[in-house]
PDB file of all heavy atoms in Angstrom:
ATOM      1  N   ASN A  56      18.735 145.483  96.378  1.00 91.00           N
ATOM      2  CA  ASN A  56      18.816 146.631  97.191  1.00 91.00           C
ATOM      3  C   ASN A  56      20.251 146.612  97.815  1.00 91.00           C
ATOM      4  O   ASN A  56      21.068 145.671  97.480  1.00 91.00           O
ATOM      5  CB  ASN A  56      17.866 146.666  98.432  1.00 91.00           C
ATOM      6  CG  ASN A  56      17.917 145.343  99.275  1.00 91.00           C
ATOM      7  OD1 ASN A  56      18.962 144.755  99.425  1.00 91.00           O
ATOM      8  ND2 ASN A  56      16.865 145.003  99.951  1.00 91.00           N
ATOM      9  N   HIS A  67      30.118 144.778 116.773  1.00 88.00           N
ATOM     10  CA  HIS A  67      29.451 144.034 115.697  1.00 88.00           C
ATOM     11  C   HIS A  67      28.836 145.025 114.766  1.00 88.00           C
ATOM     12  O   HIS A  67      28.726 146.172 115.060  1.00 88.00           O
ATOM     13  CB  HIS A  67      28.324 143.182 116.294  1.00 88.00           C
ATOM     14  CG  HIS A  67      27.159 143.958 116.980  1.00 88.00           C
ATOM     15  ND1 HIS A  67      27.375 144.386 118.215  1.00 88.00           N
ATOM     16  CD2 HIS A  67      26.081 144.455 116.621  1.00 88.00           C
ATOM     17  CE1 HIS A  67      26.342 145.132 118.696  1.00 88.00           C
ATOM     18  NE2 HIS A  67      25.542 145.074 117.613  1.00 88.00           N
ATOM     19  N   GLN A  73      19.441 151.718 104.173  1.00 92.00           N
ATOM     20  CA  GLN A  73      19.088 150.794 103.069  1.00 92.00           C
ATOM     21  C   GLN A  73      18.706 151.702 101.888  1.00 92.00           C
ATOM     22  O   GLN A  73      17.967 152.708 102.001  1.00 92.00           O
ATOM     23  CB  GLN A  73      18.013 149.892 103.400  1.00 92.00           C
ATOM     24  CG  GLN A  73      17.540 148.969 102.160  1.00 92.00           C
ATOM     25  CD  GLN A  73      16.582 147.957 102.603  1.00 92.00           C
ATOM     26  OE1 GLN A  73      16.909 146.882 102.911  1.00 92.00           O
ATOM     27  NE2 GLN A  73      15.331 148.438 102.636  1.00 92.00           N
ATOM     28  N   ARG A 118      20.758 139.965  97.413  1.00 79.00           N
ATOM     29  CA  ARG A 118      20.846 138.932  96.280  1.00 79.00           C
ATOM     30  C   ARG A 118      19.479 138.201  96.013  1.00 79.00           C
ATOM     31  O   ARG A 118      19.591 137.240  95.272  1.00 79.00           O
ATOM     32  CB  ARG A 118      21.983 137.959  96.521  1.00 79.00           C
ATOM     33  CG  ARG A 118      21.994 137.100  97.737  1.00 79.00           C
ATOM     34  CD  ARG A 118      23.229 136.259  97.817  1.00 79.00           C
ATOM     35  NE  ARG A 118      23.081 135.221  98.810  1.00 79.00           N
ATOM     36  CZ  ARG A 118      23.918 134.202  99.051  1.00 79.00           C
ATOM     37  NH1 ARG A 118      25.047 134.289  98.375  1.00 79.00           N
ATOM     38  NH2 ARG A 118      23.701 133.426 100.069  1.00 79.00           N
ATOM     39  N   GLN A 123      16.451 139.699 102.063  1.00 65.00           N
ATOM     40  CA  GLN A 123      16.828 139.247 103.426  1.00 65.00           C
ATOM     41  C   GLN A 123      18.092 138.412 103.224  1.00 65.00           C
ATOM     42  O   GLN A 123      18.708 138.081 104.257  1.00 65.00           O
ATOM     43  CB  GLN A 123      15.788 138.297 103.876  1.00 65.00           C
ATOM     44  CG  GLN A 123      14.534 139.059 104.388  1.00 65.00           C
ATOM     45  CD  GLN A 123      13.641 138.129 105.090  1.00 65.00           C
ATOM     46  OE1 GLN A 123      14.013 137.497 105.952  1.00 65.00           O
ATOM     47  NE2 GLN A 123      12.316 138.220 104.861  1.00 65.00           N
ATOM     48  N   GLY A 128      30.296 143.170 101.240  1.00 93.00           N
ATOM     49  CA  GLY A 128      31.605 143.555 100.634  1.00 93.00           C
ATOM     50  C   GLY A 128      32.727 143.415 101.697  1.00 93.00           C
ATOM     51  O   GLY A 128      32.459 143.133 102.955  1.00 93.00           O
ATOM     52  N   ARG A 132      38.087 150.286 105.932  1.00 96.00           N
ATOM     53  CA  ARG A 132      38.412 150.562 107.295  1.00 96.00           C
ATOM     54  C   ARG A 132      38.946 152.017 107.325  1.00 96.00           C
ATOM     55  O   ARG A 132      39.860 152.482 106.668  1.00 96.00           O
ATOM     56  CB  ARG A 132      39.519 149.726 107.890  1.00 96.00           C
ATOM     57  CG  ARG A 132      40.008 150.106 109.381  1.00 96.00           C
ATOM     58  CD  ARG A 132      40.999 149.082 109.784  1.00 96.00           C
ATOM     59  NE  ARG A 132      40.349 147.733 109.916  1.00 96.00           N
ATOM     60  CZ  ARG A 132      40.948 146.713 110.257  1.00 96.00           C
ATOM     61  NH1 ARG A 132      42.212 146.768 110.509  1.00 96.00           N
ATOM     62  NH2 ARG A 132      40.257 145.531 110.352  1.00 96.00           N
TER      63      ARG A 132
ATOM     64  N   PHE B  49      20.941 134.304 110.307  1.00 93.00           N
ATOM     65  CA  PHE B  49      22.073 133.988 109.426  1.00 93.00           C
ATOM     66  C   PHE B  49      23.275 133.910 110.349  1.00 93.00           C
ATOM     67  O   PHE B  49      23.408 134.573 111.419  1.00 93.00           O
ATOM     68  CB  PHE B  49      22.269 135.186 108.454  1.00 93.00           C
ATOM     69  CG  PHE B  49      21.139 135.546 107.530  1.00 93.00           C
ATOM     70  CD1 PHE B  49      20.201 136.422 107.928  1.00 93.00           C
ATOM     71  CD2 PHE B  49      20.991 134.768 106.347  1.00 93.00           C
ATOM     72  CE1 PHE B  49      19.011 136.621 107.175  1.00 93.00           C
ATOM     73  CE2 PHE B  49      19.969 135.002 105.487  1.00 93.00           C
ATOM     74  CZ  PHE B  49      18.967 135.968 105.910  1.00 93.00           C
ATOM     75  N   GLN B  53      33.923 135.615 110.731  1.00 91.00           N
ATOM     76  CA  GLN B  53      34.720 136.865 110.399  1.00 91.00           C
ATOM     77  C   GLN B  53      36.133 136.606 110.960  1.00 91.00           C
ATOM     78  O   GLN B  53      36.355 136.527 112.161  1.00 91.00           O
ATOM     79  CB  GLN B  53      34.131 138.090 110.925  1.00 91.00           C
ATOM     80  CG  GLN B  53      34.832 139.428 110.578  1.00 91.00           C
ATOM     81  CD  GLN B  53      34.138 140.549 111.074  1.00 91.00           C
ATOM     82  OE1 GLN B  53      33.593 140.599 112.108  1.00 91.00           O
ATOM     83  NE2 GLN B  53      34.076 141.740 110.200  1.00 91.00           N
ATOM     84  N   LYS B  56      40.204 141.539 110.690  1.00 78.00           N
ATOM     85  CA  LYS B  56      40.277 142.596 109.766  1.00 78.00           C
ATOM     86  C   LYS B  56      39.733 142.193 108.327  1.00 78.00           C
ATOM     87  O   LYS B  56      40.132 142.648 107.316  1.00 78.00           O
ATOM     88  CB  LYS B  56      41.724 142.962 109.629  1.00 78.00           C
ATOM     89  CG  LYS B  56      42.320 143.586 110.901  1.00 78.00           C
ATOM     90  CD  LYS B  56      43.763 144.084 110.715  1.00 78.00           C
ATOM     91  CE  LYS B  56      44.244 144.515 112.099  1.00 78.00           C
ATOM     92  NZ  LYS B  56      45.650 144.967 111.878  1.00 78.00           N
ATOM     93  N   SER B  58      36.025 140.757 106.130  1.00 85.00           N
ATOM     94  CA  SER B  58      34.622 140.876 106.023  1.00 85.00           C
ATOM     95  C   SER B  58      33.862 139.700 106.682  1.00 85.00           C
ATOM     96  O   SER B  58      34.419 138.774 107.081  1.00 85.00           O
ATOM     97  CB  SER B  58      34.130 141.022 104.517  1.00 85.00           C
ATOM     98  OG  SER B  58      32.865 141.367 104.483  1.00 85.00           O
ATOM     99  N   GLU B  74      26.194 127.704 102.824  1.00 91.00           N
ATOM    100  CA  GLU B  74      26.954 128.252 101.571  1.00 91.00           C
ATOM    101  C   GLU B  74      27.911 127.250 101.128  1.00 91.00           C
ATOM    102  O   GLU B  74      28.375 126.295 101.838  1.00 91.00           O
ATOM    103  CB  GLU B  74      27.597 129.543 102.045  1.00 91.00           C
ATOM    104  CG  GLU B  74      26.602 130.676 102.471  1.00 91.00           C
ATOM    105  CD  GLU B  74      25.778 131.017 101.362  1.00 91.00           C
ATOM    106  OE1 GLU B  74      26.327 131.503 100.217  1.00 91.00           O
ATOM    107  OE2 GLU B  74      24.630 131.023 101.448  1.00 91.00           O
ATOM    108  N   ASN B 117      13.017 143.663 102.688  1.00 69.00           N
ATOM    109  CA  ASN B 117      14.111 144.654 102.710  1.00 69.00           C
ATOM    110  C   ASN B 117      14.330 145.208 104.216  1.00 69.00           C
ATOM    111  O   ASN B 117      14.770 146.256 104.338  1.00 69.00           O
ATOM    112  CB  ASN B 117      13.773 145.789 101.804  1.00 69.00           C
ATOM    113  CG  ASN B 117      13.779 145.494 100.333  1.00 69.00           C
ATOM    114  OD1 ASN B 117      14.565 144.541  99.999  1.00 69.00           O
ATOM    115  ND2 ASN B 117      13.009 146.054  99.552  1.00 69.00           N
ATOM    116  N   LEU B 120      19.265 143.882 108.775  1.00 86.00           N
ATOM    117  CA  LEU B 120      19.692 142.849 109.626  1.00 86.00           C
ATOM    118  C   LEU B 120      20.179 143.337 110.892  1.00 86.00           C
ATOM    119  O   LEU B 120      20.785 144.395 111.016  1.00 86.00           O
ATOM    120  CB  LEU B 120      20.885 142.074 108.961  1.00 86.00           C
ATOM    121  CG  LEU B 120      20.648 141.447 107.493  1.00 86.00           C
ATOM    122  CD1 LEU B 120      21.893 140.970 106.954  1.00 86.00           C
ATOM    123  CD2 LEU B 120      19.657 140.304 107.789  1.00 86.00           C
ATOM    124  N   ASN B 124      26.293 140.253 119.173  1.00 92.00           N
ATOM    125  CA  ASN B 124      27.584 140.871 119.450  1.00 92.00           C
ATOM    126  C   ASN B 124      28.698 139.950 119.149  1.00 92.00           C
ATOM    127  O   ASN B 124      29.880 140.332 119.234  1.00 92.00           O
ATOM    128  CB  ASN B 124      27.695 141.118 121.074  1.00 92.00           C
ATOM    129  CG  ASN B 124      26.865 142.313 121.405  1.00 92.00           C
ATOM    130  OD1 ASN B 124      26.643 143.167 120.573  1.00 92.00           O
ATOM    131  ND2 ASN B 124      26.485 142.324 122.699  1.00 92.00           N
TER     132      ASN B 124
END
Side-chain angles (χ1 to χ4, degrees):
Chain A
N56 61 24
H67 63 277
Q73 175 175 266
R118 60 180 190 178
Q123 292 190 43
R132 178 170 300 172
Chain B
F49 303 91
Q53 187 176 34
K56 301 181 181 180
S58 187
E74 295 297 304
N117 295 329
L120 297 171
N124 287 334

